[in-house]
Amino acid sequence: MVIRREKAQDAGAIYEAVKSAFATAEHADGNEHELVNALREGRAYIPELSLVAEADGRIVGHIMFTKAEVGDTTVLALAPLSVLPEYQRQGIGTALIREGHRLAGALGYGWSVVLGSETYYPRMGYLPADTFGIKAPFDVPRENFMACRLTESAPAVRGTVRYAKEFGIAER
C-alpha cells in the first residue's frame, strides 16, 4: 500500500471510493462524496492534507483534513475518512490518519477535531473534545465529538468549532 497526496486525476476514483465506503456505514448522511468535492473547491481545502491510499493498483482509501476555527486558532477537521468496504479492517484508515497527523504537524497545525466512532478514533489519540475546552456547534454525544493534539507545542484552544461553510453547519 502507498499513501500519497491526491492528484487532480484521482477525483473520480476518490468520489467512487467515498460513495462506496459510506454506502453501508452505520452513521452516514449519504452525501459524503459530494462533501469531498465541495470541500476541494472551498477556501478551507489544504491540498497537502487530502491523501489517498493505493493498493492493488487502485485507490482504496481517502482522508481529508480541512481548516476549521476555534476562537482565533485554525484547527483541522478530519472528514471524511473513507476505505472501500473490501479493504476495511486492514489498517488502511489508521495509516491514513497517522500520515495525515504527521503531515499536519509538520505544516504547523496543532489540533484536529473529528465527529466519529468513540471506539475507533481514540486509538489514534482522539479524546472527547470537551476535555480540551473544545465544543461542537451542534448537539452530539460527547464521546463522538473528539479532538487530538497534533504537536506537543500546540497551544491550548477553547471555544466552539466553526467548520467550513461546505459542511452546512450553522453556528448556534
Side-chain angles (χ1 to χ4, degrees):
M1 177 183 67
V2 173
I3 295 178
R4 63 169 174 79
R5 182 174 161 181
E6 79 169 50
K7 301 174 186 170
Q9 61 266 32
D10 297 331
I14 291 168
Y15 183 91
E16 291 305 321
V18 175
K19 187 175 181 179
S20 177
F22 280 94
T24 58
E26 183 179 348
H27 301 288
D29 66 16
N31 293 317
E32 288 80 6
H33 52 292
E34 299 293 348
L35 175 61
V36 168
N37 283 348
L39 287 168
R40 192 181 289 121
E41 299 301 319
R43 293 177 51 199
Y45 179 63
I46 307 165
E48 298 88 347
L49 296 178
S50 188
L51 307 174
V52 297
E54 281 184 327
D56 304 323
R58 67 184 194 146
I59 292 174
V60 299
H62 176 260
I63 193 169
M64 181 178 274
F65 293 86
T66 54
K67 294 176 191 173
E69 304 290 326
V70 175
D72 59 359
T73 302
T74 299
V75 300
L76 298 175
L78 187 172
L81 168 64
S82 310
V83 177
L84 288 173
E86 63 269 30
Y87 287 86
Q88 292 175 5
R89 300 192 189 335
Q90 298 177 30
I92 294 170
T94 298
L96 283 164
I97 292 170
R98 292 197 192 290
E99 180 63 3
H101 283 182
R102 185 189 72 75
L103 291 169
L107 290 169
Y109 295 100
W111 292 90
S112 175
V113 297
V114 68
L115 174 62
S117 168
E118 73 278 5
T119 59
Y120 182 75
Y121 288 99
R123 291 186 266 161
M124 270 63 71
Y126 286 85
L127 297 171
D130 62 3
T131 304
F132 305 107
I134 301 170
K135 298 177 186 161
F138 41 75
D139 291 327
V140 63
R142 81 177 286 272
E143 65 270 13
N144 297 112
F145 186 69
M146 295 166 270
C148 179
R149 187 184 294 248
L150 299 173
T151 61
E152 297 271 334
S153 61
V157 293
R158 296 185 83 68
T160 301
V161 176
R162 290 184 313 279
Y163 284 90
K165 68 179 175 67
E166 290 81 9
F167 281 97
I169 300 168
E171 289 186 46
R172 38 178 189 166

